């Protein structure tokens, strides 16, 4: 399953709302989709699993939604520490795949 | 809280081999699938391989299948990735990650990651 993330780069200001998209080449069963955040020099950090469940310790400004082939990560009100690269990952098949990433940068 | 620490990354010539190790501290990973994910310089994430808790069931991405083996030592709380016939395109940071998800599905996402170990394949 190929995951395509858009936009490639998103330029926003702190306090604004961010909407990141992840589209799958075929339907993902049972909403088996996760989102990760990665900052420079750090490993990825799990944010969302099963499309809409926040991982432990993740602030509630992060939310995930979607099903089938279209998924969205929303950050309701951007904090300075939210500017990073975000990846989606499908685990609908045992050959896991990631999207190419969306870079969220400060405008 | 489990911590994962990778080691074994190095500069190696094309065609060479490397064994990467991942040690878990703070909690046992013996009941979890464990995986390896690679990130080429400036690029995205690529899942490479994973191994079931029993150590007998393994899966590989096509990019490394036939050139790699994955193993685990539950007594030592560790996982290893042996990579052979290395290519320039194998260059990158290799992360070890714990896999979790819905029991019974054998379909997982990654909830704990190590900091990675750098593999450079170059002549």
């Amino acid at each position: 399953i190929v995951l395509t993330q858009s936009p490639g780069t998103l330029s926003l200001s702190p306090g604004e709302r961010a909407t990141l998209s992840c589209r799958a080449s075929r339907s993902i069963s049972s909403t088996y989709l996760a989102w990760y955040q990665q900052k420079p020099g750090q490993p990825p950090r799990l944010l969302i699993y099963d499309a809409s469940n926040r991982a432990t310790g993740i602030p509630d400004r992060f939310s995930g939604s979607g099903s089938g082939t279209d998924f969205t990560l929303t950050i309701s009100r951007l904090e300075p520490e939210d500017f990073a690269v975000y990846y989606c990952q499908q685990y609908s098949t045992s050959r896991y795949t990631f999207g190419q990433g969306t870079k969220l940068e400060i405008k | 809280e489990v911590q994962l620490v990778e080691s074994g990354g190095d500069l190696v010539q094309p065609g060479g081999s490397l064994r990467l190790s991942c040690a878990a501290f703070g909690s046992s990973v013996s009941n979890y699938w464990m995986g390896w994910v690679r990130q080429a310089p400036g690029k995205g994430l690529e899942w490479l391989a994973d191994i079931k808790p029993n150590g007998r069931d393994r899966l590989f991405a096509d990019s490394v299948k036939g050139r790699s083996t994955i193993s685990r030592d539950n007594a030592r709380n560790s996982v290893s990735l042996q990579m052979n016939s290395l290519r320039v395109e194998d260059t990158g940071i290799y992360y070890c990650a714990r896999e979790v998800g819905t029991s019974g599905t054998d379909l997982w996402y990654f909830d704990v990651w190590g900091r990675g170990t750098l593999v450079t394949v170059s002549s």
Side-chain angles (χ1 to χ4, degrees), chain A residues 14-55:
Chain A
E16 290 193 291
R17 180 185 186 90
T19 303
L20 287 66
S21 173
C22 176
R23 177 162 289 177
S25 59
R26 64 176 194 263
S27 184
I28 292 176
S29 60
S30 302
T31 60
Y32 284 157
L33 187 109
W35 289 93
Y36 302 86
Q37 176 193 68
Q38 188 178 33
K39 296 180 180 179
Q42 296 185 18
R45 173 194 182 196
L46 176 67
L47 297 175
I48 301 286
Y49 63 95
D50 293 350
S52 62
N53 295 316
R54 274 188 302 276

Side-chain angles (χ1 to χ4, degrees), chain A residues 38-102:
Chain A
Q38 188 178 33
K39 296 180 180 179
Q42 296 185 18
R45 173 194 182 196
L46 176 67
L47 297 175
I48 301 286
Y49 63 95
D50 293 350
S52 62
N53 295 316
R54 274 188 302 276
T56 303
I58 301 303
D60 61 7
R61 64 180 181 272
F62 290 90
S63 63
S65 63
S67 63
T69 60
D70 290 297
F71 297 84
T72 301
L73 174 69
T74 301
I75 310 171
S76 60
R77 213 177 144 76
L78 286 166
E79 297 287 343
E81 63 267 28
D82 298 336
F83 292 91
V85 179
Y86 292 83
Y87 295 97
C88 56
Q89 177 230 337
Q90 67 80 22
Y91 45 106
S92 177
T93 71
S94 56
R95 296 297 196 277
Y96 310 130
T97 51
F98 293 86
Q100 83 281 13
T102 289

Side-chain angles (χ1 to χ4, degrees), chain B residues 24 28-30 53 72-78:
Chain B
S28 173
V29 295
S30 63
R72 65 190 299 160
D73 184 339
N74 286 335
R76 295 179 182 271
N77 218 19
S78 65

Side-chain angles (χ1 to χ4, degrees), chain B residues 1-48:
Chain B
E1 175 73 27
V2 66
Q3 288 190 316
L4 303 175
V5 180
E6 303 92 337
S7 59
D10 204 350
L11 170 62
V12 61
Q13 292 190 336
S17 298
L18 269 183
R19 184 177 183 85
L20 307 181
S21 297
C22 170
F25 300 94
S27 180
S28 173
V29 295
S30 63
N31 292 324
Y32 294 89
W33 282 73
M34 295 293 292
W36 289 89
V37 176
R38 173 171 71 192
Q39 187 167 37
K43 302 296 184 182
L45 303 167
E46 179 188 13
W47 168 80
L48 297 180

Side-chain angles (χ1 to χ4, degrees), chain B residues 3 10 16 21 42 53 55 62 70 79 83-84 111 113 119 122:
Chain B
Q3 288 190 316
D10 204 350
S21 297
D62 290 344
I70 185 171
V79 180
M83 298 195 65
N84 304 317
D111 73 330
W113 297 67
V119 173
S122 174

